[in-house]
Amino acid sequence: MQFSRANWKRLRLTGDQRNVCYPHSLQFYLEPPSESISLIEFESLAIDRVKLLKAVENLGVSYVKGAEPYQSKLESEIRRLKFSFRENLENEYEPRRKDHISHFILRLAYCQSEDLRRWFIQQEMDLLRFRFSILPKDKIQNFLKDSHLHFEAVSIVLY
């Protein structure tokens, strides 16, 4: 049996099809990725995700989580590593794809021990918390609806 690179096809999505895969910059990672990637891309995605989660950890130690310096430094780190973090940005398919695939790569790598699992979950929760905090209000409602989470907004009551 002979395999040639000319016969390999890579999934290419255009326009609206890309938005169907990743409609939000925020994900719950419910479905594992189904596409094939090269070993080089696999390694690169894993390294970038580890760098991102290490930055989340280091910034969480150095700054108060949720404070302005923490937010701005984490945002610049996410931007530097080319991960998805904001809604309404053009050409968001690749950063969202990178985010999705790299999450599952590290999920596999960090399931080896309870300590690694705990560290991974904590950093992913902090990253999710950050991304959720910067979502515009209308996008929060869309994300919750698309994620099948039904919540009613609570009005502020002042006494």
Side-chain angles (χ1 to χ4, degrees), residues 104-159:
F104 278 93
I105 292 170
L106 288 199
R107 187 189 274 193
L108 287 172
Y110 281 77
C111 71
Q112 296 175 35
S113 73
E114 186 60 34
D115 288 339
L116 288 173
R117 220 178 354 264
R118 221 178 281 128
W119 181 86
F120 175 73
I121 290 169
Q122 182 61 54
Q123 305 326 308
E124 287 287 341
M125 285 188 334
D126 289 345
L127 183 59
L128 176 70
R129 204 173 288 122
F130 165 75
R131 287 176 168 165
F132 190 81
S133 73
I134 64 172
L135 275 178
K137 296 218 182 293
D138 62 320
K139 299 293 182 183
I140 289 173
Q141 292 303 320
N142 290 342
F143 171 71
L144 293 174
K145 184 179 138 205
D146 291 347
S147 300
H148 306 291
L149 298 172
H150 305 288
F151 293 98
E152 290 183 33
V154 177
S155 60
I156 298 174
V157 178
L158 300 175
Y159 291 97

Side-chain angles (χ1 to χ4, degrees), residues 26-86:
L26 191 60
Q27 299 182 50
F28 276 145
Y29 311 108
L30 300 174
E31 293 291 323
S34 59
E35 67 181 275
S36 297
I37 62 172
S38 70
L39 189 55
I40 293 168
E41 184 179 16
F42 184 94
E43 180 182 28
S44 173
L45 292 173
I47 290 169
D48 285 350
R49 186 67 171 216
V50 169
K51 287 178 184 176
L52 176 61
L53 295 183
K54 286 286 188 188
V56 169
E57 178 185 37
N58 293 336
L59 290 171
V61 170
S62 303
Y63 300 95
V64 175
K65 293 176 186 172
E68 199 280 321
Y70 173 84
Q71 300 277 85
S72 64
K73 290 192 183 289
L74 184 53
E75 185 172 319
S76 67
E77 192 63 25
I78 292 171
R79 185 180 290 124
R80 185 182 71 77
L81 291 169
K82 296 183 174 84
F83 279 93
S84 177
F85 69 97
R86 288 240 187 247

